[in-house]
Amino acid sequence: VALYKSVPTRLLSRAWGRLNQVELPTWLRKPVYSLYIWTFGVNMKEAAVEDLHHYRNLSEFFRRKLKPQARPVCCLHSVISPSDGKILNFGQVKNCEVEQVKGVTYSLESFLGPRISTEEMHFSQAPPGNSFQQQLVTKEGNELYHCVIYLAPGDYHCFHSPTDWRVSHRRHFPGSLMSVNPGVARWIKELFCHNERVVLTGDWKHGFFSLTAVGATNVGSIRIYFDQDLHTNSPCYSKGSYNDFSFISNNNKEGIPMRKGEHLGEFNLGSTIVLIFEAPKDFKFHLKAGQKIRFGEALGSL
């Protein structure tokens, strides 16, 4: 594990990113993309543009858009999957620990960082609690829930809003860029806390809500569409630090309103989305660990 952690994954990912942006000659595009499609099981029937010659480089191919009808958004449930992927874990957060894969946990506070000032949130001051977890729960009778979705290289790489909510704050942790493949996640404790990630926090109708995009090897680029100031895997940031940005200002008291299913951001390959949110005790997930899920399908509801 120590040897793997010493690998310069950030530098390698930047090099891979530049390689992905090299324009391929037209005659080479079909064989290169066809090999990728065959290796990772990509379904090009869903792509908005099926013609492989259309994609000038690997980066454009990775970030391909889907046909509008390919992913209908579930209207019956309050929380939907923000992306395609595999469900690694879900359930109530217990003892300030969250499972990244079965039996391997990480600290909630290490993952999200210090609690954001309630002045940036739309809900009232939480009652004083003994733990970081209790401080996030703002309404009596609510619980804190989590859901981890792993995006494989062959998946659709954009992610969307999982519910109607308001984003008030962004926290960017530069971190490492180790693989988040479930096999690797089993033997590196707190992997998600070591890796680069972008934490979006805000509120929905039941209180606290957060969506975190976790980077991985060759996924140095995490893009949030409404956040032009965000630059991931940049050499100017040092690991172990984090930088904050508030979407609440004198001119914008509401933050960034997001509608369920609305485009939110994208990865440049595949990675992981972690949802951590507050909801009443009768919130139920409609999931099984290990199942494949697609953007727009139900995660859970009251």
Side-chain angles (χ1 to χ4, degrees):
V1 170
L3 182 64
Y4 179 54
K5 285 182 178 179
S6 70
V7 174
T9 51
R10 288 168 63 80
L11 184 63
L12 291 172
S13 295
R14 279 198 289 273
W16 176 253
R18 290 195 177 94
L19 180 64
N20 283 353
Q21 290 169 6
V22 173
E23 185 166 339
L24 296 175
T26 306
W27 62 269
L28 190 58
R29 294 175 189 177
K30 189 168 183 178
V32 168
Y33 301 147
S34 294
L35 177 63
Y36 186 92
I37 290 166
W38 178 79
T39 304
F40 296 110
V42 178
N43 183 3
M44 285 303 292
K45 297 287 186 189
E46 298 176 335
V49 180
E50 294 184 43
D51 181 9
L52 298 181
H53 297 105
H54 168 81
Y55 302 99
R56 294 172 296 176
N57 52 45
L58 277 165
S59 183
E60 283 191 2
F61 179 70
F62 293 148
R63 294 181 286 111
R64 65 194 176 276
K65 298 295 188 285
L66 298 183
K67 293 170 181 170
Q69 67 274 22
R71 296 288 186 276
V73 174
C74 176
C75 299
L76 301 176
H77 298 275
S78 52
V79 184
I80 61 165
S81 177
S83 66
D84 287 9
K86 180 182 179 181
I87 301 294
L88 294 189
N89 231 301
F90 63 92
Q92 281 189 22
V93 176
K94 296 180 180 177
N95 303 319
C96 296
E97 295 274 318
V98 183
E99 283 193 310
Q100 60 189 26
V101 292
K102 191 170 179 61
V104 181
T105 63
Y106 56 91
S107 159
L108 182 65
E109 187 167 8
S110 297
F111 182 69
L112 295 178
R115 189 162 180 267
I116 299 155
S117 166
T118 52
E119 292 174 6
E120 295 185 17
M121 299 302 195
H122 293 272
F123 38 80
S124 60
Q125 173 71 45
N130 297 324
S131 69
F132 182 79
Q133 178 179 336
Q134 289 170 321
Q135 291 172 30
L136 292 180
V137 177
T138 64
K139 297 180 180 179
E140 191 174 347
N142 280 3
E143 298 286 349
L144 206 61
Y145 297 86
H146 78 283
C147 183
V148 184
I149 304 168
Y150 167 69
L151 288 76
D155 287 326
Y156 166 58
H157 297 121
C158 295
F159 50 93
H160 301 247
S161 176
T163 192
D164 294 337
W165 65 307
R166 291 177 291 191
V167 184
S168 56
H169 189 272
R170 177 259 291 160
R171 177 169 284 160
H172 170 218
F173 293 83
S176 300
L177 285 169
M178 292 181 280
S179 171
V180 292
N181 182 285
V184 176
R186 285 189 185 92
W187 53 272
I188 299 185
K189 183 175 171 60
E190 298 215 324
L191 171 62
F192 294 165
C193 297
H194 290 300
N195 268 16
E196 178 159 31
R197 60 198 181 279
V198 177
V199 182
L200 299 178
T201 53
D203 64 292
W204 70 318
K205 61 184 177 180
H206 300 297
F208 175 81
F209 199 97
S210 74
L211 179 148
T212 301
V214 183
T217 307
N218 299 336
V219 195
S221 175
I222 300 170
R223 184 180 170 201
I224 304 297
Y225 294 137
F226 58 73
D227 189 353
Q228 302 304 314
D229 296 319
L230 176 66
H231 301 287
T232 56
N233 196 13
S234 170
C236 68
Y237 294 127
S238 59
K239 289 194 293 184
S241 65
Y242 63 83
N243 54 85
D244 288 339
F245 185 85
S246 174
F247 298 110
I248 304 290
S249 66
N250 291 332
N251 297 326
N252 178 17
K253 302 286 188 184
E254 295 298 311
I256 308 294
M258 297 297 301
R259 304 294 296 173
K260 185 168 67 172
E262 188 177 348
H263 275 86
L264 184 53
E266 61 188 36
F267 293 111
N268 254 353
L269 193 56
S271 196
T272 300
I273 296 282
V274 179
L275 302 179
I276 297 173
F277 58 93
E278 174 184 358
K281 289 182 178 178
D282 56 351
F283 182 87
K284 301 291 183 193
F285 284 101
H286 304 287
L287 302 171
K288 293 180 181 177
Q291 80 172 69
K292 289 287 289 179
I293 198 163
R294 304 204 301 178
F295 154 61
E297 294 179 345
L299 283 187
S301 62
L302 294 164

